[in-house]
Amino acid sequence: MALFGALFLALLAGAQAELPGCKIRITSKALELVKQEGLRFLEQELETITIPDLRGREGHFYYNISEKVYEFLSVFITSGMRFLLNQQICPVLYHAGTVLLNSLLDTVPVRSAVDELVGIDYSLVKDPVASASSLDMEFRGAFFPLAEGNWSLRNRAVEPQLPEEERMVYVAFSEFFFDSAMESYFQAGALKLSLVGAKVPHDLDMLLRATYFGNIVLLSPAVIDSPLKLELRVTAPPRCTIKPSGTTISVTASVTIALVPPDQPEVKLSSMTMDARLSAKMALQGKVLRTQLDLRRFRIYSNQSALESLALIPLQAPLKTMLQIGVMPMLNERTWRGVQIPLPEGIDFVREVVTNHAGFLTIGADLHFAKGLREVIEKNRPANTGDARAPSAPPPSMAAV
């Protein structure tokens, strides 16, 4: 019975574990690159070390060595002298390494704003897993409306996988990553568009007036020539579908057509439902994930009757053209700004390759140091720390170099 209870609790804990929306694998190739850059930083630190002249006694050994002859005597230094030099150098190296790691980690965005409406949460959902060939990290990878800091969306998507190790870095995104973004903008009230008067394309304005001529002529003369209003409002959070063949986004919106007489309530002419399917292509540039959208399928139908839906067929092509010309560029302007991937400052992705899978996509890339580690550290060094190079004592377990 006790075994059954323990098994039940283990299964329950596993069922409640949060799935990652984003995973990152850093392979041994990337770790070697970071190691080389780290050694270059430490070499630069060693060049700044000034060791005072050493005078004293070690057992029967008396010494009086100035800094200028350290290199000349290095091959003759006894184990006792190595220990003395290590007492000078190891604390500096320890401090430099600590500064290096902390400075890099401080530049990794964990929970930050994407724009004025939405933020993103890159909190780790479990401890990193290290192996002989890679370091794997799992992040929540969830967007949220800034106005609702505690808002969260349940992750029911397929868990992304990282099967490869050929590139320096692999990043995987599940459908949840993109769904949480679109739901966050929906919750923030951003997925709507209103075109009034001159903002409605002239040809579309004429076509809409002709289509609803029977409704318009029944209105008072003061209303007939009023500016036309076309309003699109997404009625439910869009959903992302990732397949090996590509990524699509499904959108359902209401379309309202009305006349807006000055200083009077607007007069609704018609309302309809729009179903659209967008193709999405992802690209990773620097350390920013960008999305390019393209309108693939478009359909409108009436909420009132099948007969009215037939009457809307002539509007199908012009409304689609209006979306392609007037709406899609605005969407792409926003999605192409992109969102930052949790990578330290000064390190960028290069030579990226995007691969679609069932329920998630992966991006393999190599790393490039756009900035030296010293430049990153100096930029992020607190202004009130005094002499940041002053060595702090290493932990007792640290071996002498």
Side-chain angles (χ1 to χ4, degrees), residues 325-342:
I325 296 176
V327 177
M328 296 306 298
M330 290 189 292
L331 284 178
N332 279 317
E333 190 277 329
R334 173 61 197 89
T335 59
W336 196 247
R337 288 185 233 160
V339 60
Q340 185 171 338
I341 305 304

Side-chain angles (χ1 to χ4, degrees), residues 18 111 114 117-123 140-156 175-189 191 236-239:
E18 183 176 6
R111 188 177 174 92
V114 175
L117 296 175
V118 167
I120 188 166
D121 185 351
Y122 279 124
S123 302
R140 184 158 190 267
F143 293 78
F144 61 92
L146 291 177
E148 304 176 46
N150 295 324
W151 179 87
S152 63
L153 178 66
R154 180 76 178 273
N155 187 350
R156 295 184 173 88
E175 292 172 345
F176 168 79
F177 181 87
F178 303 102
D179 283 347
S180 69
M182 293 182 289
E183 179 138 350
S184 295
Y185 281 105
F186 177 79
Q187 296 291 341
L191 302 185
R239 286 291 174 255

Side-chain angles (χ1 to χ4, degrees), residues 118-173:
V118 167
I120 188 166
D121 185 351
Y122 279 124
S123 302
L124 286 168
V125 297
K126 64 190 302 186
D127 293 335
V129 177
S131 68
S133 59
S134 64
L135 174 67
D136 289 355
M137 294 172 287
E138 299 185 359
F139 301 91
R140 184 158 190 267
F143 293 78
F144 61 92
L146 291 177
E148 304 176 46
N150 295 324
W151 179 87
S152 63
L153 178 66
R154 180 76 178 273
N155 187 350
R156 295 184 173 88
V158 174
E159 182 175 354
Q161 303 298 318
L162 292 168
E164 299 176 279
E165 296 183 358
E166 291 300 317
R167 296 296 188 99
M168 290 185 180
V169 177
Y170 287 90
V171 188
F173 303 96

